[in-house]
Amino acid sequence: MQLSQIQDCLGSADPQKRMRGITELRFFTPEIVVPLLQPLITDKEFVIRSFAVKGLGIKQTPEAFLTLLNHLDYEIDPNVRAEVANSLAKYGKVAVPHLLELFERDFNWLVRHSILASLDGKEFPEILLKICFLGLQGHDIEVCLASIAHLEQLKGTNHQLEALEIILAHVNSDNVAIRSQVARVLSSFNDLKARSALLILRNDSDYRVVGATLENLI
């Protein structure tokens, strides 16, 4: 498709045509794509906004990065905010402080999941440790489970002991899913405290927790 045809699609009242136009932009350079995508992040259709911010993560320029950051201030749909987080993460180190700030102020589970999934614990151990700690302070069970799981990335780093202490603090959680997740993650740590906690969990009153302690042995 020629660029003029793509521009016609992007300006169409038909959201399907706008989607087609965004898809066709994959063949063009960031310098051409970014100015065309920027107006679409305010589209009335959240799917269009989502694809537009996704494109700004793929076709990277400084202007695209700033557009993504600014968009977080007024995007009301958590699906789009989660996609913004994914796109920001593609910019690497420069995005990490902004992802931490977003995690601190946005309590939507999908947004927080996206941020957790985007961080490499080996590359950014301090940030991941802080984000997982914050995630476990919230009330969303899915975020809590993900936070415990991602702490496993810190095994073998200088932050292993801190990560382990955070995990161990939830051995006696009232929530069965939390205790089960703790059991799974502790099984991968070669540590005396971890092994002692696993012995406790192996005698848990709930069979699901007991089963979780044995998963790595199968």
Side-chain angles (χ1 to χ4, degrees):
M1 186 181 289
Q2 298 296 315
L3 186 59
S4 59
Q5 295 174 298
I6 293 175
Q7 290 173 311
D8 287 342
C9 286
L10 296 177
S12 172
D14 184 349
Q16 293 297 326
K17 287 186 178 180
R18 297 202 297 279
M19 284 287 294
R20 184 184 176 194
I22 293 173
T23 302
E24 291 295 322
L25 284 173
R26 69 186 185 276
F27 299 111
F28 293 85
T29 64
E31 291 69 27
I32 292 175
V33 172
V34 170
L36 294 174
L37 288 180
Q38 285 172 319
L40 295 176
I41 66 171
T42 58
D43 196 279
K44 63 181 180 179
E45 301 289 342
F46 88 89
V47 175
I48 300 294
R49 300 199 304 276
S50 184
F51 270 77
V53 299
K54 184 175 182 179
L56 292 176
I58 297 171
K59 304 290 185 176
Q60 297 179 13
T61 67
E63 293 76 19
F65 184 75
L66 289 175
T67 298
L68 289 168
L69 280 182
N70 293 333
H71 189 56
L72 288 171
D73 291 334
Y74 53 84
E75 177 56 61
I76 61 172
D77 194 294
N79 295 280
V80 182
R81 294 201 305 276
E83 196 61 64
V84 172
N86 289 331
S87 290
L88 285 172
K90 290 182 172 63
Y91 285 80
K93 187 176 180 179
V94 67
V96 172
H98 301 288
L99 292 173
L100 173 58
E101 181 185 0
L102 178 60
F103 196 94
E104 290 175 326
R105 63 185 170 90
D106 196 321
F107 294 91
N108 179 267
W109 74 271
L110 184 57
V111 174
R112 287 187 150 197
H113 254 282
S114 295
I115 295 171
L116 278 165
S118 70
L119 287 174
D120 185 335
K122 303 298 182 183
E123 189 173 2
F124 308 109
E126 291 184 11
I127 299 295
L128 183 63
L129 183 72
K130 185 170 184 178
I131 282 180
C132 290
F133 177 79
L134 291 172
L136 283 162
Q137 306 312 301
H139 301 292
D140 190 289
I141 186 64
E142 294 301 326
V143 173
C144 289
L145 294 175
S147 297
I148 294 170
H150 283 284
L151 283 169
E152 187 176 359
Q153 293 186 47
L154 300 178
K155 181 180 62 176
T157 71
N158 292 334
H159 297 278
Q160 173 174 311
L161 292 179
E162 295 168 274
L164 192 54
E165 288 300 321
I166 294 173
I167 298 168
L168 291 171
H170 298 275
V171 168
N172 297 313
S173 171
D174 292 334
N175 190 290
V176 172
I178 293 289
R179 298 201 306 278
S180 297
Q181 188 77 309
V182 166
R184 293 186 191 95
V185 175
L186 285 179
S187 297
S188 69
F189 282 84
N190 184 20
D191 179 273
L192 181 59
K193 288 185 177 180
R195 290 195 295 271
S196 297
L198 279 171
L199 289 176
I200 295 172
L201 293 167
R202 202 157 288 162
N203 292 288
D204 196 271
S205 59
D206 193 289
Y207 73 93
R208 289 167 290 184
V209 179
V210 176
T213 69
L214 303 173
E215 286 182 9
N216 285 353
L217 300 177
I218 299 175

